[in-house]
Amino acid sequence: MSKISVHYFNERGLGEAIRTLLAYGGEDFDDIRYTDEEWEKFQPSTPFGQLPLLVISGKIYSQSNAIARYLGRKYGLAGQDVDEEFEIDQNVDYFTELRTVSADSFYEEDPEIRSKLLEKLFKDKAPRMLTKLDEIISKNNGHIALGKLTWGDFVIAGVFDYIKYILNLPDIEAKYPSFKKLVDNVNSNPNVQIFSRTGTKI
Amino acid sequence: MSKISVHYFNERGLGEAIRTLLAYGGEDFDDIRYTDEEWEKFQPSTPFGQLPLLVISGKIYSQSNAIARYLGRKYGLAGQDVDEEFEIDQNVDYFTELRTVSADSFYEEDPEIRSKLLEKLFKDKAPRMLTKLDEIISKNNGHIALGKLTWGDFVIAGVFDYIKYILNLPDIEAKYPSFKKLVDNVNSNPNVQIFSRTGTKI
């Protein structure tokens, strides 16, 4: 049996899709969570200087969406042909655009730039993209693509709380109701439920 | 025969990987290029309000990396298994992170914010990421992954001039020499050469 570990901070964030996909796949894995101090020491030995990382039998996998796609294909959560797989990729990339611009604005260090970037995000890009995503997810019956559960749903569910916090949208579920359905569709999976309750954090 | 068209502005940018992948695949396609005024009229009817778009027999494909992966899988420019395909995805995603932050900084409308964002990019993120990418491409013998030509190389070659311009690095080939090899590896393909010389622009 291969030895699997997930390396991330002690939060959901970009690590959660990987953790929940592994749980969905019935894998036993070490859920390793770094403090900022630990990460500082570990960082130079990582391939891109970034977390999350997935390690399977010593082989290191980096980049959260690439990992989610990889695990999705392993666990039957991908498309049935290249056209179906394209649809997941396309819609996840659109969501990732929103996630990236949100994080880049939120973590900007200069307070003046940060407040201007966030203002613009809140006013224009975020509502426009959330409206479009809500439309896509509604059309797909609570999923990001193909009208069924795919790895793309795990990507979105994993960072949903984070996006809600960054975009300062405590009422996001009321405004864009399809997102709640998507998150519920992921979290109601029995293996994911067991992980959320009992997952060992190292 | 399916009718294919690519929709983008009259520049290489995010459209070029799609055009050159179609050329590599020996496809005949309409290379439709919009002026800003034309785009303004066309935009509301597009799926995400964004270019580039690929249209095959009336079906619209959006998101440039998702399209490049899709065409790469069609034309034998992908991996041979999920592990190989993961390696392309991972390395392309890392490159895309640099491309995205570069474009977001460059196109920032507020001149004061723009100059601060670009300053930070030039000083820290760009040299760090370019060094890492140069290392990856060197190790892969002038390719972004797998030591051979994949769709990922088309993604990078397509926006290379654009990245060079945004990052204000006219000497990028001298500083990070592997990139030139990657671009040459794409452009030396006979079909790509024919397209570059004779491609019909509509």
Side-chain angles (χ1 to χ4, degrees):
Chain A
M1 229 176 75
S2 53
K3 171 102 179 124
I4 303 177
S5 56
V6 179
H7 302 248
Y8 195 61
F9 303 104
N10 189 23
E11 51 191 55
R12 293 171 55 86
L14 297 179
E16 194 67 7
I18 302 172
R19 295 175 188 131
T20 47
L21 279 163
L22 288 168
Y24 177 92
E27 306 280 7
D28 195 24
F29 63 97
D30 288 340
D31 185 5
I32 300 170
R33 293 165 182 248
Y34 294 86
T35 62
D36 290 346
E37 294 71 39
E38 289 166 341
W39 168 232
E40 218 170 286
K41 281 185 214 155
F42 179 54
Q43 188 177 21
S45 68
T46 62
F48 297 98
Q50 297 172 333
L51 291 181
L53 296 176
L54 169 68
V55 182
I56 304 178
S57 303
K59 183 175 172 186
I60 302 175
Y61 298 76
S62 187
Q63 296 293 333
S64 60
N65 280 2
I67 294 172
R69 182 182 301 106
Y70 173 74
L71 294 177
R73 291 177 77 183
K74 272 183 134 177
Y75 303 141
L77 288 169
Q80 291 191 321
D81 55 37
V82 284
D83 262 274
E84 284 199 3
E85 302 212 325
F86 168 80
E87 187 181 318
I88 309 171
D89 290 348
Q90 169 190 260
N91 296 357
V92 168
D93 279 3
Y94 185 70
F95 172 78
T96 298
E97 208 177 305
L98 174 62
R99 196 255 299 153
T100 309
V101 68
S102 300
D104 285 351
S105 309
F106 191 78
Y107 292 113
E108 167 57 43
E109 283 163 9
D110 183 317
E112 209 183 317
I113 295 184
R114 180 176 185 273
S115 96
K116 282 188 185 172
L117 288 178
L118 284 174
E119 191 197 325
K120 210 173 63 173
L121 176 66
F122 293 169
K123 215 164 68 182
D124 172 38
K125 200 155 191 173
R128 183 162 40 84
M129 294 188 83
L130 286 168
T131 301
K132 170 60 72 180
L133 285 161
D134 190 47
E135 197 184 301
I136 293 169
I137 298 167
S138 300
K139 210 177 64 186
N140 281 289
N141 197 25
H143 301 287
I144 190 62
L146 305 182
K148 65 172 190 183
L149 192 68
T150 67
W151 63 267
D153 298 322
F154 286 73
V155 166
I156 297 177
V159 294
F160 183 67
D161 288 345
Y162 171 78
I163 287 282
K164 187 171 161 176
Y165 176 68
I166 287 187
L167 295 179
N168 193 22
L169 278 172
D171 59 343
I172 193 168
E173 289 98 338
K175 269 191 172 156
Y176 310 102
S178 73
F179 279 90
K180 191 183 174 333
K181 206 169 165 193
L182 181 149
V183 171
D184 288 346
N185 279 334
V186 171
N187 291 343
S188 63
N189 172 266
N191 283 357
V192 173
Q193 283 189 334
I194 292 169
F195 165 72
S196 302
R197 277 200 311 273
T198 64
T200 320
K201 296 169 186 176
I202 296 178
Chain B
M1 232 175 73
S2 53
K3 170 104 180 123
I4 303 177
S5 56
V6 179
H7 302 247
Y8 195 59
F9 304 104
N10 189 23
E11 52 190 56
R12 292 170 55 85
L14 296 180
E16 194 66 7
I18 303 172
R19 295 177 188 131
T20 48
L21 279 163
L22 288 169
Y24 177 92
E27 307 279 8
D28 195 25
F29 63 98
D30 289 341
D31 185 6
I32 301 169
R33 293 165 181 248
Y34 294 86
T35 62
D36 290 346
E37 293 73 40
E38 288 167 342
W39 168 233
E40 216 169 285
K41 280 184 214 154
F42 179 53
Q43 188 177 21
S45 67
T46 63
F48 297 98
Q50 294 171 334
L51 293 181
L53 297 176
L54 169 68
V55 182
I56 303 179
S57 303
K59 184 175 170 186
I60 302 175
Y61 298 76
S62 188
Q63 296 294 333
S64 60
N65 280 2
I67 294 173
R69 182 183 301 106
Y70 174 72
L71 294 178
R73 292 179 76 184
K74 272 184 134 178
Y75 303 141
L77 288 170
Q80 292 192 319
D81 56 37
V82 285
D83 262 273
E84 285 199 2
E85 302 214 321
F86 167 79
E87 188 183 317
I88 310 172
D89 290 348
Q90 170 190 256
N91 297 358
V92 168
D93 279 2
Y94 186 69
F95 172 78
T96 298
E97 208 178 307
L98 174 63
R99 196 255 299 154
T100 309
V101 69
S102 300
D104 285 351
S105 308
F106 190 79
Y107 293 113
E108 168 57 43
E109 282 162 10
D110 184 316
E112 209 184 319
I113 296 184
R114 180 177 187 273
S115 96
K116 282 189 186 173
L117 289 177
L118 284 174
E119 189 196 325
K120 211 173 64 173
L121 175 66
F122 293 169
K123 216 165 66 184
D124 174 38
K125 199 156 193 173
R128 183 162 40 82
M129 295 189 82
L130 286 168
T131 301
K132 172 57 75 182
L133 285 162
D134 191 46
E135 197 184 302
I136 293 170
I137 298 168
S138 300
K139 212 178 63 187
N140 282 288
N141 196 26
H143 300 287
I144 190 63
L146 305 182
K148 65 170 190 182
L149 192 69
T150 67
W151 62 268
D153 298 322
F154 286 73
V155 166
I156 297 176
V159 294
F160 183 66
D161 288 345
Y162 171 79
I163 287 282
K164 189 170 162 175
Y165 175 69
I166 287 185
L167 295 179
N168 195 22
L169 277 173
D171 59 343
I172 193 169
E173 290 97 338
K175 270 191 169 154
Y176 310 101
S178 73
F179 279 91
K180 191 182 173 336
K181 207 169 163 192
L182 180 150
V183 171
D184 289 346
N185 279 334
V186 171
N187 291 343
S188 64
N189 172 267
N191 284 357
V192 173
Q193 283 189 335
I194 292 169
F195 166 72
S196 302
R197 277 202 310 274
T198 65
T200 319
K201 297 166 185 175
I202 296 176

